[in-house]
Amino acid sequence: MIYYRWKSLVYLCSGGDLQEVIEGHKISLKRRCEHVTEGTNEAGSGTLLNKIYTELYITEGQSEEVDTQHEVSQLERTSKKNIQDTPIKCQDIFKVLSEQQRHIRVVLTNGVAGVGKTFSVQKFSLDWAEGLENQDISLVLPLSCRELNLIRDEQHSLLSLLHVFHPTLQKIRAEDLTVWKLLFIFDGLDESRFSLGFNKHQVIFDVTQVSSVEVLLVNLIQGNLLPSALIWITSRPAAAHQIPPSCVDRITEVRGFTDSQKEEYFRRRSSDEDLSKRIISHIKASRSLHIMCLIPVFCWITAIVLEDTMTRDQRGELPQTLTDLYSHFLRRPEELTEADKELLLKLGRLAFEHLEQGNIMFYSEDLERCGLDVSEVSVYSGVCTEIFKRESVIFQKSVYCFVHLSVQEFLAAVYMFHRYTRNDTAVINKFLEYSEPNDFSGFAGLFNNDPATSLDDFLRRALMKSLKSENGHLDLFVRFLHGLSLESNQRILGGLLDQRNSRPETIQKVLNNLKELNSDEISPDRSINIFHCLMEMKDQSVHQEIQEFLKSEKKSERRLSEIHCSALAYLLQMSEEVLDELNLQQYNTSVEGRRRLIPAVRNCRKKSQSLTHYFCFIHNRLFGSFLSTSHWEVVASAMTSNPSHLRELSLSRNQSLTDAGVKLLSSAMMHPNCRLEMLRLSEISCDSLASALRSNLSHLRVLDLSANTLQDSGVKRLCSGLESPNCKLERLGSVFIFLPIYQLLRW
């Protein structure tokens, strides 16, 4: 087979063209990929890629909560996982690893911002270009989405697109593409500014047919164009849904640094062994810093701040929170000049406006709208070189970005806080405006066109807006806003923010608002961010009270507030110990408090023996009698998390389980990660439950419907699932008495 392919190539590319094209492309690709930059170093002057490569780990699928959770929350989950998936080397990304797997044509790689997706692409490309790996592939063709954005309004054929982005391939012809084994790499789907219409688009089979870039991409991914070509797509998790699951043959995930890799990174950076030990020790002592150090770029930010702080002032207080760290990062190493402050606020406006739009890459026109003159040297020098970088790409145009998404979120918070201190009601009210108050009727009075007259009112309304967000994209931004309200962080920023509003009594009002906030119409996952806002304000009282509660022998006598329950849910699901069982009714708290405890189910399973750890007070199931549809989403995500510990789910006392809730649970039971074995329900949707029973992925062994009175139509639908050869059910509850005898015997 290989002999005939190469024979055809030689025929189509007469003379020495074939070898010349491939060698020229490899040289060009090697030059682009052999070095990687750290922070804002100029391209080509960074570290050799082969020294810092981060492995990929194969996954069975992606988490169901990626569209509703901020990436920091996803990092928190990743930080406590024991890696149970099979590691896969980057070079083997398209190789079939088992007899059950079919040919792999399209691979989707997920990973949070800055975790190393692009480095992985560069590693694959470099190994191919150096002749080390995957030499059965004729051409590796990286196409960065940030570069494709530059021609999003132009028309191209696939052939002309390759000529534009890879000038070394000018000699290839349409006939060559049909017989070569090609790999197209679309890096950074989340950075694209065009929509992919998989359901309705022009169908293209000819590589010379002209169309829009997005139509070309869709046809390549679907296999209409060059059906034998391999496709690799990288994306942040929240944007990965743009690719239909039916088009993807393998999903992988870049998980960043392990704990040992974090320590190795900091040791390698410094020749001072004692300094590196102190840095590592400090990071381990701060949960938020330790979690964020999964991201290589964050390690770089942390290293330069702590190195500077520890060497300059041996007695100074080291950064404890993310707001602390970024405040030091923004100001270092010297005091900010007035020109610096003006430039930072313009960058802050850019950061804020595009954070709301979901953009992390910027172009010249974006900068100009915010008053930034791209021709000014000041944009590329001074304080901005620490936080903002320019990448020269094709067409002699430039692409700009912050060194990490969290830096963009921090600067956006600095800008918004500055606008508040300057009484800029136009900007503040536009940000705080609430367009759909009926969705959260309990908050309707908080959202109006009145200006935020006090700091506590402003922060409360900003928090409400972030909680209303469907994807949590403002969560870290709001944490930073609360952290910036502290005089200590304002002082670090050297006069960039006005400190007159941060009086002790005002700060106490802010803290009280956070502790007393009623969020019964908000997902319990999102409510945890209220606890994080407290931590950014360095209020440790709730955390300390929960630690005392966990050590207490008389837990049932201690009343837990809603904020206590959010903190407890966070600590329980982040614990290295997997909980035996979770009974929400056993906590001395309100109904809303019990709702806030639901996220802890992600770290819960059915277990016969007691735990010796202090979590042994959690009992053996998840019971629920008061859950709404929004809460079922959290339970469903626990069933589909990787790994999923939940084995038994008892909802027999629930009177509010709607069809939508049952459909969520039934869909979760069909997920590859779900390991649920026992389900007890009081209300069911027979159609969706029957579908789950028919699924070859379901592990369900026991189904208790004893609290249900099924009609004949419901029985028939349920029996269609019971009769399926895929059904693994071993025991059905006392619903037997309602089954027609002939159907029962047949089952």
Side-chain angles (χ1 to χ4, degrees), residues 426-649:
V427 172
I428 297 300
N429 287 342
K430 184 179 179 182
F431 166 60
L432 293 178
E433 67 182 357
Y434 194 79
S435 58
E436 301 177 26
N438 291 332
D439 289 352
F440 292 83
S441 56
F443 301 152
L446 295 174
F447 296 94
N448 49 55
N449 292 323
D450 296 332
T453 55
S454 63
L455 179 62
D456 56 296
D457 178 52
F458 166 64
L459 292 177
R460 178 184 60 172
R461 293 167 66 186
L463 176 62
M464 289 301 186
K465 175 158 184 173
S466 75
L467 292 175
K468 188 253 182 184
S469 165
E470 292 183 357
N471 58 10
H473 72 294
L474 296 176
D475 284 0
L476 190 55
F477 163 80
V478 167
R479 287 192 210 177
F480 283 137
L481 272 182
H482 282 78
L484 289 170
S485 69
L486 297 183
E487 187 272 337
S488 58
N489 285 324
Q490 295 170 4
R491 186 173 63 252
I492 293 170
L493 290 173
L496 188 61
L497 301 178
D498 193 333
Q499 301 177 34
R500 288 175 296 176
N501 296 282
S502 299
R503 294 185 292 270
E505 59 272 22
T506 303
I507 295 302
Q508 190 58 51
K509 285 183 180 179
V510 176
L511 296 174
N512 291 341
N513 286 343
L514 292 172
K515 294 176 182 179
E516 298 168 5
L517 182 67
N518 182 347
S519 63
D520 58 357
E521 297 180 65
I522 298 293
S523 162
D525 267 330
R526 306 300 310 287
S527 297
I528 289 176
N529 204 48
I530 304 170
F531 170 63
H532 287 306
C533 288
L534 274 177
M535 300 299 286
E536 285 300 318
M537 295 187 70
K538 301 183 180 179
D539 186 304
Q540 297 286 333
S541 60
V542 171
H543 184 269
Q544 291 169 355
E545 288 161 5
I546 288 300
Q547 295 288 0
E548 292 173 3
F549 171 79
L550 290 171
K551 297 174 183 177
S552 171
E553 295 181 358
K554 298 181 179 179
K555 296 181 176 63
S556 61
E557 298 178 4
R558 302 190 63 163
R559 177 77 177 177
L560 296 178
S561 66
E562 282 82 359
I563 189 63
H564 283 132
C565 291
S566 286
L568 181 58
Y570 174 73
L571 294 176
L572 290 180
Q573 70 174 319
M574 291 300 295
S575 169
E576 294 300 324
E577 296 282 350
V578 178
L579 314 181
D580 266 359
E581 304 177 13
L582 178 65
N583 186 344
L584 301 179
Q585 297 288 10
Q586 293 190 355
Y587 291 91
N588 184 4
T589 185
S590 64
V591 170
E592 168 56 21
R594 294 191 181 97
R595 289 192 183 107
R596 290 203 190 184
L597 285 168
I598 294 173
V601 74
R602 290 190 179 90
N603 201 28
C604 177
R605 68 185 173 206
K606 170 64 177 159
K607 195 173 181 180
S608 58
Q609 69 270 29
S610 297
L611 288 174
T612 58
H613 201 265
Y614 57 71
F615 293 123
C616 62
F617 75 97
I618 303 292
H619 292 283
N620 68 349
R621 303 170 187 85
L622 170 67
F623 290 96
S625 59
F626 46 81
L627 307 185
S628 64
T629 300
S630 65
H631 300 98
W632 297 124
E633 295 174 354
V634 182
V635 178
S637 79
M639 295 166 65
T640 58
S641 61
N642 185 18
S644 176
H645 301 292
L646 195 61
R647 299 294 183 270
E648 182 175 337
L649 187 58

Side-chain angles (χ1 to χ4, degrees), residues 679 702-706 729 731-737 739 747:
L679 177 63
V702 179
L703 178 62
D704 185 351
L705 305 175
S706 56
L729 210 62
R731 182 158 58 91
L732 186 62
S734 57
V735 73
F736 280 150
I737 63 175
L739 289 174
W747 178 57

